[in-house]
Amino acid sequence: MTSPIRTERHGDVLVIISDNPPVNALGQAVRAGLATGVEQALGDDSIRAVVIRCDGRTFFAGADITEFGKAPQSPSLPEALDKLEASDKPVVAAIHGTALGGGCEVALACHYRVAVPSAKIGLPEVKLGLIPGAAGTQRLPRLVGAEAALPLVAVGDPISAKKAQAIGLIDEIVGEDSLEADAIAFARSKIGQAVSRSSEGTANEDGIRNPDIFDQFRAQNGRKMRGFDAPNAAVAAVKAAGELSYADGVKKERELFMQLMNGTQSKAMRHYFFAERAANKINDVPADTPLIPINKVGVIGAGTMGGGIAMNFLSAGIPVTILEMQQEALDRGTSVIRKNYENTAKRGRMTMEQVEGAMGLLTSTLDYADLADCDLVIEAVYENMDVKKQVFAKLDEVVKQGAILASNTSYLNVDEIATATQRPGYVLGLHFFSPANVMKLLEIVRGANTRDDVLATSMKLAKKIGKVAAVSGVCPGFIGNRMLSQRQAQANKLIMEGANYWDVDDVLLEFGFPMGPFQMGDLAGIDIGWHRDPSKVTTVREALCAAGRFGQKNGKGFYDYDEARNRTPSDEVKQIIADFAAREGNAQRDISKDEIRERLLYPMVNEGAKILEEKMAQRASDIDVVWINGYGWPLYTGGPMFWATTVGLDAVVAGLEKHGLPASHYLRQKADAGNGFD
Ligand code: NAD
C-alpha cells in the first residue's frame, strides 16, 4: 500500500505532505508517515527545516474515528508527535481548512504554526465526550496560557486564524493562495535559531498566579457543562498543566482520557454524532432526487410559532411573506420579530445592519394573493383541524402549482389536512419547536402521498436554516409529542398517587433535562386553553387557573416565584392536588425517586418501540435525535433509545411490569432476543 505521506525537497527545506482524503484523518499510515518524514529530515544534513502541510481541502481534521475502540496501532499519535517536537531542526505546520482535534495537536507539536486567513483551529473532542489525548491539553496551555486554553479544550468551538494569532496559537497568517511558499520562507527564517517547543512553554503559569480562573470558567459555563464529564476533565487537565511537570501532566491527561473513553458518556455522544448524520437520510428517497428551488417562503399566522418560523428564513436570507387575519395580530407578530432581532443585536450577536437586512426581507399581508408566488408556505395557525383545512383549501387555490404546502401542527393528521387540497403530494408537516428561531429540531412529517422531491427539498432546507431534521410518519403527536404524552400522563398520575410534583420535576432535572413537566407548564403558561369558567374545573391545571395561578407570568403556578424567578413549592397547590386525589378516591403513598424516574422514562421507551414497530420512525437513532434536539433529553445519555439499550431492555420491560405498565410486543421481542436498539 502506498503511504498517504510523501516528502518534497525545496532546497534546504523538507515539505512533508499528507494526502489522505477526504479530511486527512490521522490514521495509522499517516502517523507512521509523519514519523518517517521527520526521521528523513533529521538524517539528512542538507535539510535544515521542515514544513508539514496537507493536500486536499483541509489540514488534518482529526483522529480517524473508525479506529476508535480498536486495538491501538503503532505509532500512536503521542509517539509520532513527540518525535516531531524533539527535532532540533525547526518544524512548521502550514494550516488551511480546519486543524481540529488531533490535527490541532499536530500543529501544537510543531515548533511554529502558520495559517491561511480562512483556516480554523480547535479541539472539539469534548463534543464527543472526550478530551484531547495526544498532549493537546498540556502543550496548549504552555503555549497560550491556561485562560485562553480553557474554552478551546473545555467548550470545543474552533476559532479563526485571526483569533488564534491573537492568543499566540498561530505565529503568522500567510497568503490564502501561497501557503506552501510562505510556510517554506517562514521555516527558513527560523533556521539556526533554538526551536520553540510548546511542551517547554511557560504561558500556563497564569493559572498558578491566578488559580481562580478555573472556578470562574466553571461558573461562566456551568449551564453548558452541567452533567457532562468531559468539560470537567478538560478543566482538570488544563489545571494540571500548571501544577505538574510536562511528563506528569501528559500522564494525567492520559488517565482522564482513558476514563472518558471507557465511560458511557462518550459512547453516547459518539452514538449521537452518527445518529445526527443518519437522520439526514430518507431511506427510500434517492440521493439524486431533484430539489425544488426555495426562493420565497410564506408563513400563515404570526403568533408564537409563525414569528419564530419566519425568523429562520429571514436569518438565512430568504424573503418571507407573513399572513394574518387581522392587522393588529400582524403588527404584533412583526414587532415581536423585530424585538427578538434587536435583542440579539444588543447581546452583540448581530449588527443593527443585519437586523435591518433581515427585517427588509419580511413582508406582511392580510391578503392570500400575496402568497401566490411562494415556493413554500408553512401554516402555523390554531391547532384546529377545521381551521387548518380552510387555510389549506385557500392555499391550494392561490399558491402556484409546484409549491410546497406545510403544516406546523403538533398533533393533527397531516394526511387529513392534505385532503383539503388537490395536491396532496406537495403537502407535509414541518414541525418546528418553541422557540422556533432557537430550537434545533425540525420534525419532517411525511404524509402518505408526500412526493420525494418535497421531502428531499425539506431536508436540504432544514440544513440551510441550521436545523437538525428527522423524519416522522403520520401518527398523533408524531415522534416527539407522541412520546411526551406518555411521560406527561405518568407525571399527572404520579402526583395523584402521592408523589410531590417538585420531586417529579427534580427527577428529570437530576437525569439531565433542563426542566421538568410542571416547571415547563409554569414557563409556557398554565392558562393556555383555559376556559375561564371556575365552575367547570375538571383538572389540576384548571383548578390552578381558577385560583389565579397562571404560571411564571404572574409569579405563581405550580410553584411560587420570587423576583429572580426562583421556584418554591406551594402549599396551596399541594392542597389543590390532595383535594383532587381525594375526590377521585386515590390512595396516597410515598413514591421513591427511582419509581418516579422509571415511570416517567420507561413508558417513553416503550412508545418509541411502538413507533419503530409501526415504522413511524426510520430508525431508533432518529428518535434519539428528536428527543435530544427538541426536548432537552441529555445528550450524554445518547437519547431515549440509546439510553434504554445502556440500561438493558430486559430491565426496562421488568420495570414497566413492576409498575403495572404494559410493555409493547416489539420491546419484549427485542429484550427477549437480548438486543438493544440499533
Ligand atoms: P398562536 O396562538 O400563538 O398563533 C396562532 C396565530 O395564528 C395567531 O396569531 C392567529 O391570529 C393566527 N391565525 C389563526 N387563524 C388564522 C387564519 N385562518 N389565518 C391566518 N392567521 C390565523 O399559536 P402557536 O403557539 O403559534 O401555534 C401555532 C401552531 O403551531 C399550532 O398548530 C400549534 O399546535 C403548533 N405548535 C405550537 C408549538 C408551541 O410550543 N406553541 C410548538 C410546535 C407547534
Side-chain angles (χ1 to χ4, degrees):
M1 210 176 73
T2 55
S3 170
I5 300 281
R6 68 178 190 281
T7 55
E8 285 173 7
R9 288 190 66 124
H10 290 257
D12 52 0
V13 177
L14 186 74
V15 183
I16 303 177
I17 302 159
S18 168
D19 181 14
N20 188 30
V23 294
N24 286 302
L26 288 152
Q28 189 274 338
V30 173
R31 300 192 300 265
L34 280 176
T36 313
V38 174
E39 277 163 20
Q40 184 191 337
L42 292 178
D44 184 340
D45 286 344
S46 66
I47 296 293
R48 302 185 66 201
V50 179
V51 166
I52 297 178
R53 73 160 184 88
C54 291
D55 275 346
R57 64 175 143 103
T58 178
F59 195 72
F60 309 103
D64 184 346
I65 200 166
T66 61
E67 286 183 357
F68 276 27
K70 295 192 184 147
Q73 282 183 295
S74 179
S76 68
L77 189 57
E79 283 163 1
L81 297 188
D82 284 348
K83 194 168 251 180
L84 208 156
E85 193 187 40
S87 159
D88 50 10
K89 299 179 182 180
V91 182
V92 177
I95 302 168
H96 76 295
T98 46
L100 298 180
C104 178
E105 290 178 295
V106 173
L108 284 166
C110 292
H111 305 131
Y112 307 97
R113 290 145 293 278
V114 301
V116 298
S118 62
K120 288 206 156 72
I121 187 157
L123 293 166
E125 284 86 345
V126 72
K127 299 193 183 204
L128 291 180
L130 297 169
I131 59 170
T137 70
Q138 300 305 301
R139 287 198 177 98
L140 182 66
R142 286 175 166 80
L143 181 66
V144 305
E147 193 166 7
L150 278 171
L152 280 164
V153 183
V155 180
D157 292 333
I159 56 174
S160 65
K162 195 169 158 204
K163 176 86 199 286
Q165 188 184 30
I167 64 171
L169 174 50
I170 298 277
D171 297 286
E172 195 169 288
I173 295 184
V174 299
E176 191 71 52
D177 301 316
S178 53
L179 175 63
E180 186 180 73
D182 291 353
I184 291 170
F186 183 92
R188 232 169 239 141
S189 76
K190 298 293 175 188
I191 290 172
Q193 296 178 21
V195 298
S196 156
R197 297 190 178 95
S198 308
S199 66
E200 294 168 358
T202 53
N204 57 336
E205 287 171 6
D206 65 337
I208 301 173
R209 285 192 304 276
N210 179 12
D212 291 348
I213 59 175
F214 301 101
D215 287 340
Q216 281 160 7
F217 178 82
R218 279 205 185 89
Q220 273 160 14
N221 294 280
R223 259 182 65 185
K224 255 188 268 174
M225 287 167 58
R226 186 171 78 95
F228 285 89
D229 292 340
N232 289 302
V235 175
V238 173
K239 196 156 184 240
E243 293 166 349
L244 304 177
S245 68
Y246 177 73
D248 286 344
V250 168
K251 264 191 221 141
K252 174 82 182 172
E253 177 191 91
R254 182 103 308 243
E255 223 171 80
L256 291 165
F257 175 85
M258 289 315 294
Q259 274 168 16
L260 293 169
M261 192 59 148
N262 295 326
T264 55
Q265 289 202 352
S266 176
K267 286 195 187 80
M269 290 166 78
R270 279 177 272 150
H271 156 77
Y272 176 75
F273 177 86
F274 291 110
E276 190 178 308
R277 277 146 193 83
N280 269 318
K281 295 188 194 82
I282 312 179
N283 282 339
D284 51 346
V285 173
D288 58 356
T289 304
L291 301 178
I292 302 168
I294 304 292
N295 298 315
K296 182 178 169 189
V297 173
V299 174
I300 316 281
T304 310
M305 294 306 290
I309 291 169
M311 288 177 75
N312 282 290
F313 297 99
L314 298 174
S315 302
I318 302 172
V320 174
T321 301
I322 194 161
L323 179 142
E324 267 282 348
M325 288 180 300
Q326 270 156 9
Q327 190 62 43
E328 198 199 340
L330 197 54
D331 292 344
R332 198 179 329 120
T334 49
S335 71
V336 170
I337 295 177
R338 172 171 280 282
K339 211 176 80 209
N340 282 338
Y341 275 132
E342 285 175 354
N343 284 341
T344 309
K346 267 186 210 143
R347 274 185 243 116
R349 286 194 273 120
M350 224 177 159
T351 63
M352 274 315 284
E353 213 176 351
Q354 286 170 319
V355 173
E356 294 310 329
M359 290 307 291
L361 294 172
L362 180 66
T363 309
S364 56
T365 185
L366 299 171
D367 184 358
Y368 272 85
D370 291 336
L371 302 176
D373 62 344
C374 286
D375 303 300
L376 161 69
V377 180
I378 303 173
E379 162 279 313
V381 304
Y382 304 131
E383 183 77 346
N384 175 301
M385 182 55 88
D386 293 336
V387 179
K388 301 231 187 237
K389 277 185 166 171
Q390 279 166 23
V391 169
F392 273 76
K394 188 76 193 163
L395 289 174
D396 193 35
E397 235 175 82
V398 301
V399 182
K400 70 180 180 193
Q401 289 303 314
I404 302 175
L405 306 181
S407 172
N408 182 49
T409 178
S410 305
Y411 287 91
L412 299 175
N413 186 321
V414 172
D415 288 330
E416 190 179 339
I417 294 175
T419 61
T421 73
Q422 305 295 315
R423 48 173 129 170
Y426 286 91
V427 176
L428 85 170
L430 289 180
H431 185 207
F432 290 78
F433 290 71
S434 183
N437 53 321
V438 177
M439 293 294 287
K440 281 290 213 187
L441 180 64
L442 180 65
E443 256 182 336
I444 295 183
V445 184
R446 177 181 199 168
N449 298 305
T450 309
R451 294 163 53 106
D452 284 359
D453 56 354
V454 170
L455 289 166
T457 301
S458 302
M459 192 53 93
K460 184 79 194 277
L461 194 61
K463 256 211 172 126
K464 175 147 196 198
I465 60 174
K467 298 291 180 205
V468 175
V471 176
S472 171
V474 175
C475 57
F478 318 118
I479 296 172
N481 282 343
R482 177 168 164 180
M483 287 165 68
L484 179 68
S485 299
Q486 294 296 322
R487 191 182 85 178
Q488 191 62 45
Q490 286 302 317
N492 294 343
K493 272 200 184 133
L494 279 161
I495 62 171
M496 284 296 125
E497 293 169 26
N500 295 318
Y501 64 88
W502 55 93
D503 282 341
V504 173
D505 281 343
D506 287 350
V507 160
L508 291 182
L509 278 177
E510 284 156 20
F511 186 75
F513 280 94
M515 65 180 84
F518 301 107
Q519 286 173 278
M520 188 70 182
D522 278 358
L523 182 69
I526 299 182
D527 57 337
I528 293 180
W530 162 233
H531 49 55
R532 291 166 207 281
D533 184 351
S535 70
K536 282 198 215 139
V537 166
T538 57
T539 64
V540 169
R541 280 176 80 106
E542 286 171 356
L544 295 189
C545 288
R549 307 189 67 100
F550 300 141
Q552 280 197 18
K553 63 174 106 174
N554 75 333
K556 51 185 189 171
F558 278 96
Y559 297 92
D560 292 329
Y561 291 89
D562 67 14
E563 308 232 305
R565 300 211 167 173
N566 294 312
R567 67 193 164 106
T568 340
S570 147
D571 288 338
E572 184 185 10
V573 175
K574 233 167 110 181
Q575 194 55 51
I576 289 174
I577 293 171
D579 290 348
F580 248 90
R583 215 179 314 152
E584 290 184 2
N586 275 334
Q588 303 285 291
R589 64 188 171 91
D590 286 338
I591 301 186
S592 72
K593 283 195 166 179
D594 282 342
E595 177 175 344
I596 294 176
R597 190 181 57 252
E598 291 172 9
R599 283 180 56 184
L600 291 174
L601 301 185
Y602 289 174
M604 292 179 59
V605 172
N606 189 51
E607 197 64 29
K610 285 193 206 165
I611 286 171
L612 284 172
E613 183 172 27
E614 294 166 21
K615 303 205 182 319
M616 290 294 136
Q618 301 187 90
R619 42 188 97 79
S621 62
D622 283 11
I623 299 177
D624 293 333
V625 168
V626 164
W627 267 81
I628 285 171
N629 292 290
Y631 301 84
W633 184 290
L635 171 62
Y636 53 75
T637 69
M641 308 314 268
F642 184 85
W643 172 76
T645 300
T646 328
V647 171
L649 299 192
D650 47 353
V652 174
V653 170
L656 286 164
E657 280 171 352
K658 185 169 71 187
H659 302 305
L661 298 165
S664 75
H665 169 71
Y666 188 75
L667 181 62
R668 263 179 212 286
Q669 218 180 20
K670 285 251 170 199
D672 289 347
N675 294 338
F677 295 109
D678 344 298

